[in-house]
Amino acid sequence: MRASAFVPGHITGFFRPMENEEPLRSGSMGSGVVINKGVYTNISLREADETSLEIYFNGDKGEHPVSGFAAKEVLRLAGARYKVEVYHESEVPISQGFGASAAGALGTAMALGRALGLPLTMNKCGEIAHRAEIANKTGMGDVIAECRGGLVVRLAPGAPGIGIVDRIPCDFAIVAWIVGPPIETKTLLKDDEKKKQIASLGEKAVEALLKHPDPESFMRISRKFAMDSGLMSEPVRSAVKALEEKHISASMIMLGNSVFALTRDPEALRDVLQYPMIVAEIDHLGGRLI
Amino acid sequence: MRASAFVPGHITGFFRPMENEEPLRSGSMGSGVVINKGVYTNISLREADETSLEIYFNGDKGEHPVSGFAAKEVLRLAGARYKVEVYHESEVPISQGFGASAAGALGTAMALGRALGLPLTMNKCGEIAHRAEIANKTGMGDVIAECRGGLVVRLAPGAPGIGIVDRIPCDFAIVAWIVGPPIETKTLLKDDEKKKQIASLGEKAVEALLKHPDPESFMRISRKFAMDSGLMSEPVRSAVKALEEKHISASMIMLGNSVFALTRDPEALRDVLQYPMIVAEIDHLGGRLI
């Protein structure tokens, strides 16, 4: 049996980590934009004597623990044993703040559920993917945003159906640049003092955005959060500065060595920075079977 | 200034009324499908000495109190006085269970907010439209569904951001027939005994759907709810029976003199019933500015 899903990527502008003993209530508040570049997941499976699982990410066979977690959770719900192959084809880089791990996990839950004939609701798939992210410390709010689509404000943390989101109407295009090597989310957020400071800045950022919820404020507040939080690497800081000199409001993609801007004319930004560039529209649909 | 919105219609299969003193928490649980036929709302406004409001529904100028409620709420947030014209062009009939009043109110909140330059989030627009529905007793769960899109299960009542929804993956087309005159929602739900019985049936229906959340179960459970609730008029009962005789699983649209079926081949149903027919796809986007 075969099934496929597409899950859009998600660029976080700012966030407030909110840990909870219960993984489904753990996560973050914050805001980010869901983009129409993401992860395609194709599942191929057949019944077998023993359950086995192979996961490929852009052709690279590996452990891929976030998708692996999601696949194992779905397989536990199945009544028989299967040889399962999961193929991710990603349009966005990993460990650069595009929510690729969440998109892979959510796509795995949706497509594997479909291939197995399990009637999983979107929230159920979202819960599985959210727990996969929390368990692996790879993300805290990408799944609920990628389930919804749009310029998302996360008002309360948690998995879809538990966390609360709002949306800000937005039809800008998104341009992103990858300006340095990948970053592991968990390495940046292990210092308790740092986490407290980011939590305080993130809380203020959400409050500020809700006072004036429009795309321009989202960019301005994201940028302030990035500056004040000390999360920007040197290449990110230089790129944001270079863009500012050209009157382009940009900020860091949380958490990556990458920056983004909202624009009505992505072509005009093509030669502004000499880094790999990703151009996307906003995805308003959220993850779906295809 | 001008602005426009499209809000999809919503066909309810079954529901459990859940009233609350607080309008934003009032509403219903239940399930229904959001369709790509709905209400286009065009706003035209200019500053004036006195605020005035004219509302047209398919060319018919009238009080249109649900959209009127929404428009007045948005105008209260504006800093000046305006002459406002609201034009609704609806692809679905009113008072036939398509959530047209909710779609008109939500479209009014979104487009009027945009025309006035107010930064309203989607939840804020949804709250205004939901309160407009509750105040006029015209609907109890259409707004939150029409904000989301898809085959929606309403797990907790209320406005967007307060009520909780889930979605069942579904790519069927929807065919609906109008088999009798319009029904006012509030006339059907004023008897307390009846309401209690419907609440009990609606609760069981939601539980049954969550045990096996797929489109076929949604149809089967909707049909059982329609039969057991005694809400079907004679023309609805006859139409459902006529479709059943042709092996087409159909049910009543809550609350209208109308019936619906999910199908992969809408053309095959074209001559099955001699009533006005509406063919639609599922809308997965929800209400949006256009």
Side-chain angles (χ1 to χ4, degrees), chain A residues 114 119-124 147-148 155 161 164-171 210 212-214 284-287 289, chain B residues 114 119-124 147-148 155 161 164-170 210 212-214 284-287 289:
Chain A
R114 169 60 60 100
L120 303 183
T121 68
M122 273 303 301
N123 287 6
K124 182 70 188 171
C147 277
R148 184 55 191 88
L155 303 172
I164 301 174
V165 297
D166 198 350
R167 284 174 301 142
I168 295 172
C170 179
D171 55 5
L210 291 177
H212 208 81
D214 61 33
H284 294 282
L285 280 166
L289 291 162
Chain B
R114 169 60 59 101
L120 303 182
T121 68
M122 275 301 303
N123 287 5
K124 182 71 188 169
C147 277
R148 185 54 190 89
L155 303 173
I164 301 173
V165 297
D166 198 351
R167 285 175 300 143
I168 294 172
C170 179
L210 292 177
H212 209 81
D214 61 34
H284 294 282
L285 279 166
L289 291 163

Side-chain angles (χ1 to χ4, degrees), chain B residues 36-72:
Chain B
N36 69 349
K37 299 278 168 80
V39 178
Y40 291 85
T41 297
N42 301 301
I43 303 280
S44 169
L45 64 80
R46 58 177 171 80
E47 286 201 41
D49 292 338
E50 289 299 324
T51 287
S52 68
L53 178 62
E54 287 182 6
I55 306 177
Y56 298 80
F57 194 95
N58 288 347
D60 167 28
K61 182 176 167 182
E63 199 188 342
H64 305 305
V66 191
S67 292
F69 182 108
K72 283 168 202 155

Side-chain angles (χ1 to χ4, degrees), chain A residues 151 168-172 209 212-220 262:
Chain A
L151 170 43
I168 295 172
C170 179
D171 55 5
F172 284 94
L209 183 60
H212 208 81
D214 61 33
E216 293 79 6
S217 303
F218 164 69
M219 277 311 301
R220 182 174 43 78
L262 302 181

Side-chain angles (χ1 to χ4, degrees), chain B residues 165-179:
Chain B
V165 297
D166 198 351
R167 285 175 300 143
I168 294 172
C170 179
D171 56 4
F172 284 94
I174 299 100
V175 174
W177 294 268
I178 314 301
V179 304

